Amino acid sequence: MCVDDSCLPVEQKIRQKARSLGIEKCGVIKPEDMLDYADKLRERMSRIPDGEAVYGRFVGFADVRRSFPWAKSIVVAVTRYGRYVIPEAARARYGKSYLTDSRFNPDSPERKILNSFGAYLEELGLKTAFNEHPGLTAMRWAAHKAGLGIIRRNNFFYTEKGSWHTITAWITDGEMELTERHDLKECPSDCNRCIKACPTKSLSMPYTMNMATCVSKLTTSNDQNSYDDATNGQIGAWIYGCDACQDACPMNRDKWSEADDFPGLEDLSPFLSPEKILAATYEEIERVLSRKFFYINKESLWRWKLNAINAMVNDYRNVFAPLIENALRDEYPIVRERAKRALEKII
Ligand code: SF4
Ligand code: SF4
C-alpha cells in the first residue's frame, strides 16, 4: 500500500503539484482535442476583412503534432494576475496584463511558479516543449477544452474569478488526460457591453475581433504606419494595450483585488505618463520601458512617442503643448509629423 503520492496516477500528481504551487486551475488534454480550433478560427477569419492575413498564421496552433510529432498531451495551467496594485499613472492607459506580465520576467511570482511547474513535469520523466511567447498552441481554446472555464463574447477566457488570467501550456510526450468541470453560465443573451465599449469597433460582434484594428495591436505595432486621425482619436488615452472590453464586462465586476504589489511596478510608475514618455530620451525609453513592454522593439521606439502624443491629444490639457512642440525637433520624422498634426488640432 502507498503511504505517499508515489503511486498516484501521473495526472493526479500534476494536479496536486499545481495546487501546491498556487496555480489556480490545471488540466491536461490530448493534441487531437484542439483540432476543432481550426474551424473556429476559419469562422472568425471569414467574418473580418483580410481575415486570412490577420489570423491565417494561427491555424497551425490546432495541431501541435505537426511541429512536435512526439506530442501525446498538452498540460494547461491558469494563473491569476488580477490581484496586483495598478499604479494611478497606468490606469486606463496600459493593459493590465502587460503591467503584470510574467513572460520573460524572472521577478514575477507567476514566472517562478510556472518555472517550478515546468521543472516538475520534467522530473516526472516527461519530455516537454514550452514557449511562452508567441506560444505553441491556442491557449484560451486549450483551457476551455480542459474544462477550466469558458470563452466569453469578448473572446477572453474566464474562470469564476473573471478574465484576468494568464494561460500557459506545455506539450508533453505523456499519454494523459485531466479535465475539470465548472458551472459558469454563458453570457446573458441581451448583453453586448464589451462590443459597445470597444473604441475601434475591432470587437464587432460576439466572438469576432479584428486583431488588426484592436487598440492592443495598434499601440504596440512596429510598423511605420501612422493611423488616420479618426483611428488616433478612437484610441483615446491608451498608451500600451487596452482593457476596455474586459473592464466593461459584468462578469469581471469586483474580480480584480489589489492585494499585492507586482515586483518593480511601483518604481516604474513615474515613467508611465505620456508627459514623461514624450520628455524622455530614446535611451531612457529603451532602458526603462523596453524590457517590460517588449512588443515595441528597439528599432521602433518612436512608437512610444506617437502613443504619448496621441494620449495627450485625446485627453488634452494646456500643459501638454510645450512638450508636443519639443517633439517637432524629434530625431524621427514620423514623430515630428505627428507632433505637427497634433499641434494643428489642439491650437
Ligand atoms: S482590447 Fe480594446 S480595442 Fe481590442 S477588442 Fe477589446 S476593447 Fe476593442
Ligand atoms: S460584456 Fe456581456 S457579452 Fe461581453 S463578455 Fe461580458 S458578459 Fe459576455
Side-chain angles (χ1 to χ4, degrees):
M1 192 179 95
C2 272
V3 290
D4 55 21
D5 66 0
S6 59
C7 54
L8 282 177
V10 68
E11 292 93 333
Q12 297 306 326
K13 290 182 186 174
I14 289 172
R15 175 191 265 153
Q16 280 196 0
K17 184 68 177 179
R19 283 187 182 154
S20 74
L21 286 169
I23 289 171
E24 187 186 332
K25 292 200 171 191
C26 174
V28 187
I29 57 172
K30 295 180 185 148
E32 52 268 36
D33 293 335
M34 288 295 293
L35 292 176
D36 56 354
Y37 170 74
D39 300 331
K40 281 282 165 202
L41 192 63
R42 287 202 185 91
E43 202 182 300
R44 179 193 284 191
M45 290 194 298
S46 72
R47 292 204 296 246
I48 63 163
D50 298 324
E52 178 66 38
V54 176
Y55 289 117
R57 66 198 149 106
F58 297 118
V59 173
F61 276 0
D63 194 354
V64 296
R65 294 169 299 187
R66 286 196 205 165
S67 305
F68 303 95
W70 46 266
K72 296 281 192 320
S73 60
I74 301 170
V75 177
V76 189
V78 176
T79 50
R80 176 169 172 260
Y81 64 80
R83 63 187 179 91
Y84 290 113
V85 177
I86 300 301
E88 194 56 43
R91 287 175 196 265
R93 292 193 185 281
Y94 290 74
K96 293 186 276 298
S97 66
Y98 299 131
L99 293 168
T100 59
D101 202 339
S102 63
R103 295 170 299 174
F104 309 114
N105 184 345
D107 299 327
S108 152
E110 281 69 38
R111 175 78 274 122
K112 291 176 186 171
I113 288 170
L114 294 167
N115 283 350
S116 299
F117 189 61
Y120 179 73
L121 296 177
E122 291 182 2
E123 277 168 32
L124 290 173
L126 296 167
K127 179 177 177 177
T128 65
F130 172 74
N131 180 340
E132 58 186 344
H133 176 71
L136 298 171
T137 190
M139 304 292 188
R140 296 173 195 180
W141 197 248
H144 152 69
K145 288 298 216 171
L148 308 183
I150 62 173
I151 298 171
R152 295 204 176 279
R153 289 181 188 162
N154 60 5
N155 292 309
F156 282 90
F157 173 82
Y158 284 67
T159 72
E160 295 78 0
K161 294 180 179 170
S163 67
W164 313 110
H165 297 94
T166 302
I167 307 169
T168 310
W170 292 258
I171 292 164
T172 93
D173 65 347
E175 297 264 13
M176 311 181 282
E177 196 169 13
L178 175 69
T179 55
E180 300 287 353
R181 293 164 67 94
H182 62 77
D183 52 13
L184 289 159
K185 303 276 183 295
E186 294 293 326
C187 294
S189 59
D190 59 348
C191 186
N192 65 351
R193 290 185 196 196
C194 50
I195 294 168
K196 275 168 68 182
C198 179
T200 54
K201 305 301 162 212
S202 161
L203 184 65
S204 55
M205 54 192 287
Y207 309 106
T208 303
M209 189 273 267
N210 184 348
M211 196 171 71
T213 55
C214 173
V215 172
S216 288
K217 178 70 180 167
L218 298 177
T219 55
T220 59
S221 169
N222 294 301
D223 290 341
Q224 275 259 354
N225 47 2
S226 192
Y227 313 115
D228 59 30
D229 280 339
T231 306
N232 279 323
Q234 288 168 338
I235 290 171
W238 293 105
I239 292 176
Y240 191 100
C242 169
D243 282 338
C245 56
Q246 293 180 88
D247 285 340
C249 177
M251 302 301 170
N252 269 338
R253 192 172 298 140
D254 299 328
K255 300 294 186 191
W256 190 288
S257 55
E258 296 202 305
D260 300 304
D261 290 322
F262 187 83
L265 190 52
E266 191 52 42
D267 293 343
L268 191 65
S269 64
F271 295 92
L272 297 177
S273 69
E275 301 96 298
K276 187 70 186 179
I277 293 168
L278 202 51
T281 65
Y282 284 104
E283 187 278 330
E284 285 173 320
I285 290 176
E286 182 178 346
R287 180 165 43 80
V288 179
L289 298 177
S290 290
R291 249 185 68 203
K292 186 172 185 70
F293 304 107
F294 55 83
Y295 283 108
I296 298 178
N297 65 33
K298 290 177 182 169
E299 291 72 41
S300 309
L301 296 176
W302 42 264
R303 171 63 63 198
W304 284 103
K305 302 261 182 180
L306 295 192
N307 292 351
I309 292 172
N310 204 44
M312 287 181 177
V313 170
N314 290 331
D315 186 18
Y316 186 67
R317 281 175 271 146
N318 288 335
V319 289
F320 294 157
L323 288 167
I324 300 176
E325 279 166 17
N326 280 343
L328 292 170
R329 294 180 288 283
D330 194 90
E331 65 190 78
Y332 288 102
I334 193 171
V335 176
R336 299 199 295 270
E337 170 58 26
R338 181 75 186 108
K340 183 165 166 281
R341 289 220 320 276
L343 288 167
E344 286 165 3
K345 195 166 178 185
I346 59 182
I347 291 176

